[in-house]
Amino acid sequence: MILSPTTCFSRLQVKEWIIDPQERIILVLCLDSVSGQYIEMVFRDRDRAISPTFPTLELTPKQIFDAIDPLE
């Protein structure tokens, strides 16, 4: 059986953020309290990463990845 990423994350109880340095994206997962399913939000480049846990956070994937590897 092949499981979707959100099913795997749900079973592992992933809290919220997944950062993929190869794709240079941030995936934010929000658990829907009604359905019990994760809602995925993908942020790239200069998108402001919206986080229910940190609503005043104003970071973009570009800022994060530039801090990790400033030569890219």
PDB file of all heavy atoms in Angstrom, residues 2-35:
ATOM      1  N   ILE A   2       0.567   2.193  -0.848  1.00  0.00           N
ATOM      2  CA  ILE A   2       1.287   3.463  -0.921  1.00  0.00           C
ATOM      3  C   ILE A   2       0.451   4.525  -0.214  1.00  0.00           C
ATOM      4  O   ILE A   2      -0.731   4.690  -0.508  1.00  0.00           O
ATOM      5  CB  ILE A   2       1.553   3.874  -2.386  1.00  0.00           C
ATOM      6  CG1 ILE A   2       2.432   2.820  -3.047  1.00  0.00           C
ATOM      7  CG2 ILE A   2       2.190   5.255  -2.446  1.00  0.00           C
ATOM      8  CD1 ILE A   2       2.629   3.032  -4.522  1.00  0.00           C
ATOM      9  N   LEU A   3       1.098   5.220   0.719  1.00  0.00           N
ATOM     10  CA  LEU A   3       0.397   6.257   1.475  1.00  0.00           C
ATOM     11  C   LEU A   3       0.803   7.635   0.995  1.00  0.00           C
ATOM     12  O   LEU A   3       1.950   7.855   0.630  1.00  0.00           O
ATOM     13  CB  LEU A   3       0.729   6.131   2.967  1.00  0.00           C
ATOM     14  CG  LEU A   3       0.364   4.810   3.630  1.00  0.00           C
ATOM     15  CD1 LEU A   3       0.866   4.787   5.061  1.00  0.00           C
ATOM     16  CD2 LEU A   3      -1.141   4.588   3.596  1.00  0.00           C
ATOM     17  N   SER A   4      -0.134   8.554   1.025  1.00  0.00           N
ATOM     18  CA  SER A   4       0.177   9.939   0.666  1.00  0.00           C
ATOM     19  C   SER A   4       1.034  10.551   1.765  1.00  0.00           C
ATOM     20  O   SER A   4       1.004  10.090   2.913  1.00  0.00           O
ATOM     21  CB  SER A   4      -1.098  10.751   0.504  1.00  0.00           C
ATOM     22  OG  SER A   4      -1.671  10.992   1.768  1.00  0.00           O
ATOM     23  N   PRO A   5       1.802  11.608   1.429  1.00  0.00           N
ATOM     24  CA  PRO A   5       2.606  12.264   2.470  1.00  0.00           C
ATOM     25  C   PRO A   5       1.775  12.717   3.665  1.00  0.00           C
ATOM     26  O   PRO A   5       2.185  12.564   4.799  1.00  0.00           O
ATOM     27  CB  PRO A   5       3.226  13.450   1.739  1.00  0.00           C
ATOM     28  CG  PRO A   5       3.267  13.038   0.317  1.00  0.00           C
ATOM     29  CD  PRO A   5       2.032  12.184   0.125  1.00  0.00           C
ATOM     30  N   THR A   6       0.578  13.255   3.421  1.00  0.00           N
ATOM     31  CA  THR A   6      -0.215  13.736   4.552  1.00  0.00           C
ATOM     32  C   THR A   6      -0.674  12.593   5.444  1.00  0.00           C
ATOM     33  O   THR A   6      -0.760  12.751   6.652  1.00  0.00           O
ATOM     34  CB  THR A   6      -1.422  14.575   4.088  1.00  0.00           C
ATOM     35  OG1 THR A   6      -2.144  13.866   3.105  1.00  0.00           O
ATOM     36  CG2 THR A   6      -1.003  15.906   3.541  1.00  0.00           C
ATOM     37  N   THR A   7      -0.952  11.429   4.859  1.00  0.00           N
ATOM     38  CA  THR A   7      -1.320  10.268   5.673  1.00  0.00           C
ATOM     39  C   THR A   7      -0.146   9.837   6.528  1.00  0.00           C
ATOM     40  O   THR A   7      -0.296   9.568   7.724  1.00  0.00           O
ATOM     41  CB  THR A   7      -1.793   9.098   4.786  1.00  0.00           C
ATOM     42  OG1 THR A   7      -2.925   9.522   4.031  1.00  0.00           O
ATOM     43  CG2 THR A   7      -2.159   7.886   5.617  1.00  0.00           C
ATOM     44  N   CYS A   8       1.038   9.804   5.942  1.00  0.00           N
ATOM     45  CA  CYS A   8       2.237   9.443   6.694  1.00  0.00           C
ATOM     46  C   CYS A   8       2.478  10.444   7.813  1.00  0.00           C
ATOM     47  O   CYS A   8       2.773  10.060   8.946  1.00  0.00           O
ATOM     48  CB  CYS A   8       3.464   9.399   5.783  1.00  0.00           C
ATOM     49  SG  CYS A   8       3.407   8.081   4.569  1.00  0.00           S
ATOM     50  N   PHE A   9       2.363  11.746   7.503  1.00  0.00           N
ATOM     51  CA  PHE A   9       2.600  12.778   8.504  1.00  0.00           C
ATOM     52  C   PHE A   9       1.583  12.658   9.634  1.00  0.00           C
ATOM     53  O   PHE A   9       1.908  12.832  10.801  1.00  0.00           O
ATOM     54  CB  PHE A   9       2.526  14.172   7.889  1.00  0.00           C
ATOM     55  CG  PHE A   9       3.555  14.408   6.823  1.00  0.00           C
ATOM     56  CD1 PHE A   9       3.260  15.162   5.714  1.00  0.00           C
ATOM     57  CD2 PHE A   9       4.829  13.855   6.919  1.00  0.00           C
ATOM     58  CE1 PHE A   9       4.195  15.388   4.725  1.00  0.00           C
ATOM     59  CE2 PHE A   9       5.774  14.072   5.926  1.00  0.00           C
ATOM     60  CZ  PHE A   9       5.456  14.834   4.831  1.00  0.00           C
ATOM     61  N   SER A  10       0.345  12.358   9.283  1.00  0.00           N
ATOM     62  CA  SER A  10      -0.697  12.211  10.289  1.00  0.00           C
ATOM     63  C   SER A  10      -0.368  11.057  11.229  1.00  0.00           C
ATOM     64  O   SER A  10      -0.482  11.182  12.442  1.00  0.00           O
ATOM     65  CB  SER A  10      -2.043  11.974   9.610  1.00  0.00           C
ATOM     66  OG  SER A  10      -3.047  11.785  10.565  1.00  0.00           O
ATOM     67  N   ARG A  11       0.065   9.958  10.667  1.00  0.00           N
ATOM     68  CA  ARG A  11       0.409   8.799  11.494  1.00  0.00           C
ATOM     69  C   ARG A  11       1.618   9.073  12.367  1.00  0.00           C
ATOM     70  O   ARG A  11       1.722   8.550  13.463  1.00  0.00           O
ATOM     71  CB  ARG A  11       0.642   7.577  10.612  1.00  0.00           C
ATOM     72  CG  ARG A  11      -0.637   7.062  10.005  1.00  0.00           C
ATOM     73  CD  ARG A  11      -0.436   5.803   9.234  1.00  0.00           C
ATOM     74  NE  ARG A  11      -1.705   5.378   8.666  1.00  0.00           N
ATOM     75  CZ  ARG A  11      -1.870   4.310   7.929  1.00  0.00           C
ATOM     76  NH1 ARG A  11      -0.833   3.541   7.652  1.00  0.00           N
ATOM     77  NH2 ARG A  11      -3.054   4.002   7.453  1.00  0.00           N
ATOM     78  N   LEU A  12       2.530   9.895  11.877  1.00  0.00           N
ATOM     79  CA  LEU A  12       3.723  10.246  12.646  1.00  0.00           C
ATOM     80  C   LEU A  12       3.487  11.448  13.557  1.00  0.00           C
ATOM     81  O   LEU A  12       4.347  11.822  14.327  1.00  0.00           O
ATOM     82  CB  LEU A  12       4.889  10.565  11.695  1.00  0.00           C
ATOM     83  CG  LEU A  12       5.394   9.396  10.857  1.00  0.00           C
ATOM     84  CD1 LEU A  12       6.410   9.885   9.843  1.00  0.00           C
ATOM     85  CD2 LEU A  12       5.987   8.323  11.740  1.00  0.00           C
ATOM     86  N   GLN A  13       2.321  12.039  13.454  1.00  0.00           N
ATOM     87  CA  GLN A  13       1.932  13.221  14.223  1.00  0.00           C
ATOM     88  C   GLN A  13       2.900  14.386  14.018  1.00  0.00           C
ATOM     89  O   GLN A  13       3.343  15.027  14.958  1.00  0.00           O
ATOM     90  CB  GLN A  13       1.790  12.876  15.700  1.00  0.00           C
ATOM     91  CG  GLN A  13       0.690  11.876  15.933  1.00  0.00           C
ATOM     92  CD  GLN A  13       0.466  11.580  17.398  1.00  0.00           C
ATOM     93  OE1 GLN A  13       1.248  11.938  18.254  1.00  0.00           O
ATOM     94  NE2 GLN A  13      -0.620  10.907  17.678  1.00  0.00           N
ATOM     95  N   VAL A  14       3.216  14.652  12.751  1.00  0.00           N
ATOM     96  CA  VAL A  14       4.035  15.817  12.417  1.00  0.00           C
ATOM     97  C   VAL A  14       3.255  17.054  12.830  1.00  0.00           C
ATOM     98  O   VAL A  14       2.068  17.170  12.556  1.00  0.00           O
ATOM     99  CB  VAL A  14       4.347  15.842  10.903  1.00  0.00           C
ATOM    100  CG1 VAL A  14       4.967  17.161  10.497  1.00  0.00           C
ATOM    101  CG2 VAL A  14       5.265  14.684  10.551  1.00  0.00           C
ATOM    102  N   LYS A  15       3.937  17.987  13.463  1.00  0.00           N
ATOM    103  CA  LYS A  15       3.250  19.144  14.016  1.00  0.00           C
ATOM    104  C   LYS A  15       2.921  20.208  12.979  1.00  0.00           C
ATOM    105  O   LYS A  15       1.814  20.659  12.893  1.00  0.00           O
ATOM    106  CB  LYS A  15       4.075  19.766  15.147  1.00  0.00           C
ATOM    107  CG  LYS A  15       4.268  18.817  16.299  1.00  0.00           C
ATOM    108  CD  LYS A  15       2.946  18.433  16.916  1.00  0.00           C
ATOM    109  CE  LYS A  15       3.145  17.494  18.078  1.00  0.00           C
ATOM    110  NZ  LYS A  15       2.016  16.749  18.455  1.00  0.00           N
ATOM    111  N   GLU A  16       3.918  20.666  12.215  1.00  0.00           N
ATOM    112  CA  GLU A  16       3.563  21.735  11.296  1.00  0.00           C
ATOM    113  C   GLU A  16       4.514  21.911  10.126  1.00  0.00           C
ATOM    114  O   GLU A  16       4.098  21.813   9.003  1.00  0.00           O
ATOM    115  CB  GLU A  16       3.436  23.058  12.050  1.00  0.00           C
ATOM    116  CG  GLU A  16       2.854  24.145  11.175  1.00  0.00           C
ATOM    117  CD  GLU A  16       2.446  25.360  11.955  1.00  0.00           C
ATOM    118  OE1 GLU A  16       1.395  25.310  12.611  1.00  0.00           O
ATOM    119  OE2 GLU A  16       3.189  26.348  11.911  1.00  0.00           O
ATOM    120  N   TRP A  17       5.780  22.214  10.345  1.00  0.00           N
ATOM    121  CA  TRP A  17       6.677  22.623   9.266  1.00  0.00           C
ATOM    122  C   TRP A  17       7.541  21.494   8.743  1.00  0.00           C
ATOM    123  O   TRP A  17       8.100  20.730   9.506  1.00  0.00           O
ATOM    124  CB  TRP A  17       7.627  23.711   9.767  1.00  0.00           C
ATOM    125  CG  TRP A  17       7.008  25.042   9.934  1.00  0.00           C
ATOM    126  CD1 TRP A  17       5.907  25.352  10.681  1.00  0.00           C
ATOM    127  CD2 TRP A  17       7.448  26.258   9.350  1.00  0.00           C
ATOM    128  NE1 TRP A  17       5.646  26.674  10.603  1.00  0.00           N
ATOM    129  CE2 TRP A  17       6.580  27.258   9.792  1.00  0.00           C
ATOM    130  CE3 TRP A  17       8.499  26.585   8.506  1.00  0.00           C
ATOM    131  CZ2 TRP A  17       6.726  28.575   9.426  1.00  0.00           C
ATOM    132  CZ3 TRP A  17       8.645  27.906   8.141  1.00  0.00           C
ATOM    133  CH2 TRP A  17       7.767  28.881   8.589  1.00  0.00           C
ATOM    134  N   ILE A  18       7.663  21.442   7.420  1.00  0.00           N
ATOM    135  CA  ILE A  18       8.641  20.572   6.768  1.00  0.00           C
ATOM    136  C   ILE A  18       9.400  21.463   5.797  1.00  0.00           C
ATOM    137  O   ILE A  18       8.796  22.154   4.979  1.00  0.00           O
ATOM    138  CB  ILE A  18       7.971  19.405   6.027  1.00  0.00           C
ATOM    139  CG1 ILE A  18       7.214  18.535   7.035  1.00  0.00           C
ATOM    140  CG2 ILE A  18       9.014  18.598   5.250  1.00  0.00           C
ATOM    141  CD1 ILE A  18       6.385  17.461   6.413  1.00  0.00           C
ATOM    142  N   ILE A  19      10.707  21.469   5.917  1.00  0.00           N
ATOM    143  CA  ILE A  19      11.546  22.299   5.054  1.00  0.00           C
ATOM    144  C   ILE A  19      12.310  21.382   4.123  1.00  0.00           C
ATOM    145  O   ILE A  19      12.995  20.466   4.575  1.00  0.00           O
ATOM    146  CB  ILE A  19      12.497  23.172   5.891  1.00  0.00           C
ATOM    147  CG1 ILE A  19      11.664  24.123   6.758  1.00  0.00           C
ATOM    148  CG2 ILE A  19      13.462  23.935   4.997  1.00  0.00           C
ATOM    149  CD1 ILE A  19      12.462  24.959   7.713  1.00  0.00           C
ATOM    150  N   ASP A  20      12.159  21.607   2.835  1.00  0.00           N
ATOM    151  CA  ASP A  20      12.815  20.782   1.817  1.00  0.00           C
ATOM    152  C   ASP A  20      13.889  21.617   1.120  1.00  0.00           C
ATOM    153  O   ASP A  20      13.578  22.399   0.223  1.00  0.00           O
ATOM    154  CB  ASP A  20      11.780  20.287   0.818  1.00  0.00           C
ATOM    155  CG  ASP A  20      12.364  19.335  -0.212  1.00  0.00           C
ATOM    156  OD1 ASP A  20      13.601  19.336  -0.429  1.00  0.00           O
ATOM    157  OD2 ASP A  20      11.578  18.582  -0.812  1.00  0.00           O
ATOM    158  N   PRO A  21      15.160  21.467   1.529  1.00  0.00           N
ATOM    159  CA  PRO A  21      16.220  22.283   0.937  1.00  0.00           C
ATOM    160  C   PRO A  21      16.507  21.950  -0.526  1.00  0.00           C
ATOM    161  O   PRO A  21      16.951  22.816  -1.271  1.00  0.00           O
ATOM    162  CB  PRO A  21      17.433  22.002   1.822  1.00  0.00           C
ATOM    163  CG  PRO A  21      17.127  20.739   2.523  1.00  0.00           C
ATOM    164  CD  PRO A  21      15.645  20.614   2.590  1.00  0.00           C
ATOM    165  N   GLN A  22      16.237  20.721  -0.950  1.00  0.00           N
ATOM    166  CA  GLN A  22      16.474  20.375  -2.359  1.00  0.00           C
ATOM    167  C   GLN A  22      15.489  21.076  -3.275  1.00  0.00           C
ATOM    168  O   GLN A  22      15.847  21.577  -4.330  1.00  0.00           O
ATOM    169  CB  GLN A  22      16.415  18.864  -2.559  1.00  0.00           C
ATOM    170  CG  GLN A  22      17.584  18.151  -1.922  1.00  0.00           C
ATOM    171  CD  GLN A  22      17.497  16.659  -2.127  1.00  0.00           C
ATOM    172  OE1 GLN A  22      16.421  16.080  -2.225  1.00  0.00           O
ATOM    173  NE2 GLN A  22      18.657  16.022  -2.195  1.00  0.00           N
ATOM    174  N   GLU A  23      14.234  21.112  -2.883  1.00  0.00           N
ATOM    175  CA  GLU A  23      13.204  21.783  -3.685  1.00  0.00           C
ATOM    176  C   GLU A  23      13.092  23.261  -3.332  1.00  0.00           C
ATOM    177  O   GLU A  23      12.399  24.006  -4.008  1.00  0.00           O
ATOM    178  CB  GLU A  23      11.850  21.105  -3.486  1.00  0.00           C
ATOM    179  CG  GLU A  23      11.791  19.683  -3.987  1.00  0.00           C
ATOM    180  CD  GLU A  23      11.927  19.591  -5.492  1.00  0.00           C
ATOM    181  OE1 GLU A  23      11.393  20.459  -6.206  1.00  0.00           O
ATOM    182  OE2 GLU A  23      12.564  18.636  -5.958  1.00  0.00           O
ATOM    183  N   ARG A  24      13.731  23.648  -2.220  1.00  0.00           N
ATOM    184  CA  ARG A  24      13.690  25.027  -1.704  1.00  0.00           C
ATOM    185  C   ARG A  24      12.247  25.473  -1.451  1.00  0.00           C
ATOM    186  O   ARG A  24      11.818  26.542  -1.861  1.00  0.00           O
ATOM    187  CB  ARG A  24      14.436  25.986  -2.626  1.00  0.00           C
ATOM    188  CG  ARG A  24      15.942  25.692  -2.650  1.00  0.00           C
ATOM    189  CD  ARG A  24      16.723  26.631  -3.520  1.00  0.00           C
ATOM    190  NE  ARG A  24      16.725  28.014  -3.099  1.00  0.00           N
ATOM    191  CZ  ARG A  24      17.603  28.560  -2.253  1.00  0.00           C
ATOM    192  NH1 ARG A  24      18.552  27.832  -1.706  1.00  0.00           N
ATOM    193  NH2 ARG A  24      17.535  29.852  -1.954  1.00  0.00           N
ATOM    194  N   ILE A  25      11.521  24.597  -0.755  1.00  0.00           N
ATOM    195  CA  ILE A  25      10.143  24.912  -0.383  1.00  0.00           C
ATOM    196  C   ILE A  25       9.950  24.692   1.119  1.00  0.00           C
ATOM    197  O   ILE A  25      10.710  23.974   1.763  1.00  0.00           O
ATOM    198  CB  ILE A  25       9.103  24.067  -1.144  1.00  0.00           C
ATOM    199  CG1 ILE A  25       9.255  22.583  -0.825  1.00  0.00           C
ATOM    200  CG2 ILE A  25       9.158  24.333  -2.631  1.00  0.00           C
ATOM    201  CD1 ILE A  25       8.120  21.725  -1.323  1.00  0.00           C
ATOM    202  N   ILE A  26       8.933  25.337   1.639  1.00  0.00           N
ATOM    203  CA  ILE A  26       8.462  25.073   2.989  1.00  0.00           C
ATOM    204  C   ILE A  26       7.051  24.529   2.848  1.00  0.00           C
ATOM    205  O   ILE A  26       6.207  25.116   2.161  1.00  0.00           O
ATOM    206  CB  ILE A  26       8.441  26.350   3.841  1.00  0.00           C
ATOM    207  CG1 ILE A  26       9.859  26.887   4.026  1.00  0.00           C
ATOM    208  CG2 ILE A  26       7.797  26.070   5.206  1.00  0.00           C
ATOM    209  CD1 ILE A  26       9.900  28.243   4.699  1.00  0.00           C
ATOM    210  N   LEU A  27       6.814  23.408   3.481  1.00  0.00           N
ATOM    211  CA  LEU A  27       5.486  22.799   3.502  1.00  0.00           C
ATOM    212  C   LEU A  27       4.958  22.972   4.921  1.00  0.00           C
ATOM    213  O   LEU A  27       5.602  22.548   5.882  1.00  0.00           O
ATOM    214  CB  LEU A  27       5.580  21.316   3.144  1.00  0.00           C
ATOM    215  CG  LEU A  27       4.314  20.495   3.210  1.00  0.00           C
ATOM    216  CD1 LEU A  27       3.313  20.964   2.171  1.00  0.00           C
ATOM    217  CD2 LEU A  27       4.620  19.026   2.999  1.00  0.00           C
ATOM    218  N   VAL A  28       3.834  23.653   5.050  1.00  0.00           N
ATOM    219  CA  VAL A  28       3.204  23.835   6.352  1.00  0.00           C
ATOM    220  C   VAL A  28       1.958  22.957   6.373  1.00  0.00           C
ATOM    221  O   VAL A  28       1.121  23.029   5.478  1.00  0.00           O
ATOM    222  CB  VAL A  28       2.837  25.317   6.602  1.00  0.00           C
ATOM    223  CG1 VAL A  28       2.098  25.469   7.923  1.00  0.00           C
ATOM    224  CG2 VAL A  28       4.092  26.180   6.594  1.00  0.00           C
ATOM    225  N   LEU A  29       1.872  22.123   7.383  1.00  0.00           N
ATOM    226  CA  LEU A  29       0.740  21.221   7.543  1.00  0.00           C
ATOM    227  C   LEU A  29      -0.108  21.700   8.706  1.00  0.00           C
ATOM    228  O   LEU A  29       0.408  21.951   9.794  1.00  0.00           O
ATOM    229  CB  LEU A  29       1.221  19.797   7.836  1.00  0.00           C
ATOM    230  CG  LEU A  29       2.148  19.186   6.790  1.00  0.00           C
ATOM    231  CD1 LEU A  29       2.681  17.870   7.279  1.00  0.00           C
ATOM    232  CD2 LEU A  29       1.400  19.008   5.483  1.00  0.00           C
ATOM    233  N   CYS A  30      -1.391  21.825   8.476  1.00  0.00           N
ATOM    234  CA  CYS A  30      -2.324  22.240   9.523  1.00  0.00           C
ATOM    235  C   CYS A  30      -3.370  21.140   9.677  1.00  0.00           C
ATOM    236  O   CYS A  30      -4.029  20.775   8.713  1.00  0.00           O
ATOM    237  CB  CYS A  30      -3.016  23.542   9.152  1.00  0.00           C
ATOM    238  SG  CYS A  30      -1.876  24.884   8.909  1.00  0.00           S
ATOM    239  N   LEU A  31      -3.497  20.640  10.890  1.00  0.00           N
ATOM    240  CA  LEU A  31      -4.470  19.589  11.144  1.00  0.00           C
ATOM    241  C   LEU A  31      -5.859  20.196  11.270  1.00  0.00           C
ATOM    242  O   LEU A  31      -6.101  21.075  12.108  1.00  0.00           O
ATOM    243  CB  LEU A  31      -4.100  18.835  12.423  1.00  0.00           C
ATOM    244  CG  LEU A  31      -4.934  17.612  12.743  1.00  0.00           C
ATOM    245  CD1 LEU A  31      -4.838  16.575  11.624  1.00  0.00           C
ATOM    246  CD2 LEU A  31      -4.492  17.013  14.062  1.00  0.00           C
ATOM    247  N   ASP A  32      -6.767  19.747  10.420  1.00  0.00           N
ATOM    248  CA  ASP A  32      -8.161  20.193  10.460  1.00  0.00           C
ATOM    249  C   ASP A  32      -8.855  19.427  11.584  1.00  0.00           C
ATOM    250  O   ASP A  32      -8.937  18.196  11.538  1.00  0.00           O
ATOM    251  CB  ASP A  32      -8.832  19.920   9.119  1.00  0.00           C
ATOM    252  CG  ASP A  32     -10.258  20.420   9.053  1.00  0.00           C
ATOM    253  OD1 ASP A  32     -11.019  20.227  10.030  1.00  0.00           O
ATOM    254  OD2 ASP A  32     -10.630  20.999   8.023  1.00  0.00           O
ATOM    255  N   SER A  33      -9.321  20.152  12.587  1.00  0.00           N
ATOM    256  CA  SER A  33      -9.907  19.500  13.753  1.00  0.00           C
ATOM    257  C   SER A  33     -11.219  18.784  13.436  1.00  0.00           C
ATOM    258  O   SER A  33     -11.615  17.870  14.148  1.00  0.00           O
ATOM    259  CB  SER A  33     -10.123  20.510  14.884  1.00  0.00           C
ATOM    260  OG  SER A  33     -10.984  21.536  14.456  1.00  0.00           O
ATOM    261  N   VAL A  34     -11.889  19.179  12.371  1.00  0.00           N
ATOM    262  CA  VAL A  34     -13.162  18.549  12.012  1.00  0.00           C
ATOM    263  C   VAL A  34     -12.935  17.240  11.275  1.00  0.00           C
ATOM    264  O   VAL A  34     -13.466  16.195  11.649  1.00  0.00           O
ATOM    265  CB  VAL A  34     -14.032  19.506  11.156  1.00  0.00           C
ATOM    266  CG1 VAL A  34     -15.300  18.809  10.693  1.00  0.00           C
ATOM    267  CG2 VAL A  34     -14.358  20.766  11.934  1.00  0.00           C
ATOM    268  N   SER A  35     -12.126  17.283  10.207  1.00  0.00           N
ATOM    269  CA  SER A  35     -11.927  16.088   9.377  1.00  0.00           C
ATOM    270  C   SER A  35     -10.795  15.196   9.883  1.00  0.00           C
ATOM    271  O   SER A  35     -10.722  14.024   9.519  1.00  0.00           O
ATOM    272  CB  SER A  35     -11.623  16.496   7.932  1.00  0.00           C
ATOM    273  OG  SER A  35     -10.334  17.091   7.862  1.00  0.00           O
TER     274      SER A  35
END
